[in-house]
Amino acid sequence: MVATAATSSFFPVTSPSPDSGAKAAKLGGGPVNLGGLKSKSTAHGGLQVKANAQAPTKVNGSTVTTSVEGTKHGDDLPSPPPRTFINQLPDWSMLLAAITTVFLAAEKQWMMLDWKPRRPDMAYDPFGIGRIVQDGLVFRQNFSIRSYEIGADRTASIETLMNHLQETALNHVKTVGLLGDGFGSTPEMCKKNLIWVVAKMQVAVDRYPTWGDVVQVDTWVSASGKNGLRRDWLVRDCKTGETLTRASSVWVMMNKLTRRLSKIPEEVKGEIGGYFVNSDPVLEENNIKLLKLDDNIADYIRTGLTPRWSDLDVNQHVNNVKYIGWILESAPQPILETHELSAMSLEYRRECGRDSVLESLTAVSGANVGDLAHSGNIECMHYLRLEDGAEIVRGRTEWRPKHPKKLGTAMNRANKLGATISEAPAMNT
């Protein structure tokens, strides 16, 4: 219908000749219906038609009718105006309507297609589940930094980054088809009531993304000894390709019912062995021994920490990211205000449940505890334990001074604590 209207605007339809109308009247023996308009009968029942035509034109010896002035059904219908250059122009409104209709139909069909980018430099699936790259051995997923994922420094928190690492690890297992009915467990692991638990975690942050940034997270797995699995991550700025974070971890198996560590069964090795990458860790293993702190060694102690119901995962133990938040609960406030976490090493010794009550201990080394706001790089040792003394996590963190632009608000707070901005040395950038 639209195509017909668009065509007719460029190629006017020639009106039927009066002779053909007369013949049709004779054959029909009565009034003729022309396009839904009834012709007006005379008193004698005949059809009255007036037609004015130009002289016929000969083309190649044949006579053709170039135009018909119009028809008049009775005396009450006025004759149409004579044909001119102006009134023979196409109906642009009809043409525009036709083009719009075709465009909308094409757009609808395009949106219904399974669209995939055709250029490698285009961001792929920025908010989806991700994809497998590099011969099926590396999983890649993009994350947009949300407003509720940034902290007082206007950058993503360390907990946000750790959650991204955990999410990609689980989606990796799911995408390759190894996710059973457990939380990151393969089908064979589910049959044997086995789950993965993290034993070590090492993270280095070169730069924290901010609100609206899109980060690209790559993750892959390797063997770690006879009964362990190593998982590495590389986080980059999706727009510039700049490396933001590197992380490496070691995972072991635990029986979900007995809560004891277990060897990796051969059936599970057969499931996951084909996805191992033969590569070195993305971070060299830190050989610094993590200390066991007590009340005499610790500079800061935070007590009465209890998990909430929302802190538990589907395996009914506290999520490993929550431990990081508890560790930082005992970090001194001047460090949090004037420095940012640049590196972290954790050793998980025991899990805790929803009824546990914990204590967080921190010891500061390499800096004057009384003047932390004006110190350069700072190193801290951390220890997380239950009230009865059972150790949960040992940790070590490294801190660097914040960028001067981020330091203004923090230094104002430090002034209230007795420090002055003029005494502060130049910050490293």
Side-chain angles (χ1 to χ4, degrees):
M1 181 67 182
V2 175
T4 304
T7 305
S8 63
S9 63
F10 281 105
F11 306 102
V13 180
T14 305
S15 303
S17 64
D19 293 339
S20 61
K23 292 180 181 179
K26 291 181 180 180
L27 291 175
V32 180
N33 190 336
L34 301 176
L37 296 177
K38 293 183 179 180
S39 60
K40 183 177 179 181
S41 301
T42 61
H44 303 286
L47 177 65
Q48 182 181 6
V49 178
K50 284 187 177 182
N52 295 321
Q54 295 179 352
T57 303
K58 291 185 178 182
V59 178
N60 295 330
S62 302
T63 301
V64 293
T65 303
T66 57
S67 65
V68 177
E69 191 67 20
T71 59
K72 182 177 179 181
H73 299 286
D75 296 334
D76 56 338
L77 296 178
S79 299
R83 293 278 180 157
T84 64
F85 172 77
I86 298 299
N87 62 22
Q88 290 189 63
L89 288 176
D91 189 344
W92 296 110
S93 62
M94 294 293 293
L95 177 61
L96 180 60
I99 294 175
T100 303
T101 302
V102 172
F103 175 78
L104 293 177
E107 183 182 33
K108 181 178 180 181
Q109 292 296 324
W110 177 256
M111 296 298 292
M112 293 175 63
L113 295 176
D114 182 18
W115 182 83
K116 294 181 180 179
R118 298 296 188 265
R119 288 166 31 199
D121 59 333
M122 297 177 65
Y124 184 93
D125 194 16
F127 312 112
I129 195 174
R131 57 172 175 163
I132 298 293
V133 297
Q134 297 186 16
D135 299 327
L137 299 177
V138 177
F139 180 78
R140 174 173 296 170
Q141 183 171 357
N142 293 348
F143 295 91
S144 176
I145 304 302
R146 313 289 185 172
S147 60
Y148 52 82
E149 294 176 324
I150 64 175
D153 299 327
R154 298 178 179 269
T155 59
S157 64
I158 185 64
E159 289 91 343
T160 294
L161 299 182
M162 298 300 293
N163 282 326
H164 290 168
L165 303 187
Q166 180 174 268
E167 180 71 7
T168 52
L170 293 174
N171 285 335
H172 185 191
V173 179
K174 179 179 180 181
T175 302
V176 299
L178 292 179
L179 188 65
D181 59 356
F183 195 57
S185 299
T186 67
E188 286 295 331
M189 290 174 62
C190 293
K191 294 178 182 178
K192 296 174 172 56
N193 294 314
L194 297 174
I195 59 176
W196 290 110
V197 292
V198 60
K200 296 181 180 180
M201 176 71 72
Q202 192 172 342
V203 182
V205 182
D206 298 326
R207 181 176 69 82
Y208 287 89
T210 187
W211 178 28
D213 289 347
V214 178
V215 297
Q216 176 182 284
V217 184
D218 287 357
T219 183
W220 58 94
V221 293
S222 305
S224 178
K226 295 182 178 180
N227 288 295
L229 177 146
R230 191 187 81 237
R231 179 174 287 277
D232 292 337
W233 293 271
L234 183 63
V235 183
R236 286 173 287 197
D237 187 298
C238 197
K239 184 177 181 180
T240 65
E242 174 191 1
T243 298
L244 304 179
T245 303
R246 293 159 293 150
S248 185
S249 62
V250 176
W251 299 71
V252 294
M253 283 193 173
M254 185 178 75
N255 189 289
K256 185 169 58 175
L257 301 179
T258 64
R259 316 310 284 188
R260 294 180 179 273
L261 297 183
S262 170
K263 294 183 178 181
I264 302 180
E266 292 298 325
E267 295 84 354
V268 177
K269 289 182 179 180
E271 287 180 316
I272 63 179
Y275 299 97
F276 282 177
V277 176
N278 185 17
S279 65
D280 296 328
V282 70
L283 281 176
E284 294 184 6
E285 187 174 355
N286 194 333
N287 295 322
I288 298 178
K289 184 178 180 180
L290 302 183
L291 302 178
K292 179 179 180 179
L293 302 183
D294 56 28
D295 294 356
N296 297 324
I297 301 177
D299 297 309
Y300 302 89
I301 300 177
R302 178 77 159 83
T303 61
L305 301 174
T306 57
R308 299 171 298 177
W309 177 256
S310 59
D311 296 330
L312 305 179
D313 59 26
V314 296
N315 293 322
Q316 296 299 308
H317 66 236
V318 175
N319 188 283
N320 67 83
V321 178
K322 181 61 181 177
Y323 294 128
I324 299 173
W326 282 335
I327 286 174
L328 299 181
E329 283 289 334
S330 60
Q333 192 69 22
I335 292 182
L336 299 178
E337 291 181 344
T338 61
H339 291 67
E340 64 181 8
L341 182 65
S342 60
M344 176 176 59
S345 298
L346 302 174
E347 290 182 2
Y348 294 85
R349 299 302 182 92
R350 183 179 302 184
E351 63 175 343
C352 66
R354 60 176 179 175
D355 298 326
S356 302
V357 180
L358 298 93
E359 296 176 346
S360 177
L361 293 78
T362 295
V364 181
S365 59
N368 183 3
V369 176
D371 193 22
L372 294 175
H374 303 135
S375 301
N377 293 336
I378 301 175
E379 180 182 319
C380 296
M381 289 291 180
H382 304 274
Y383 190 70
L384 198 63
R385 68 187 183 190
L386 298 177
E387 278 188 327
D388 60 8
E391 63 177 330
I392 303 297
V393 176
R394 293 186 186 186
R396 173 180 170 271
T397 57
E398 296 178 16
W399 304 78
R400 59 176 172 246
K402 294 178 181 177
H403 193 280
K405 291 182 179 180
K406 300 179 182 179
L407 193 57
T409 302
M411 291 303 297
N412 289 335
R413 297 193 188 101
N415 283 335
K416 297 179 181 180
L417 298 175
T420 59
I421 297 179
S422 59
E423 296 174 354
M427 298 293 105
N428 296 328
T429 57

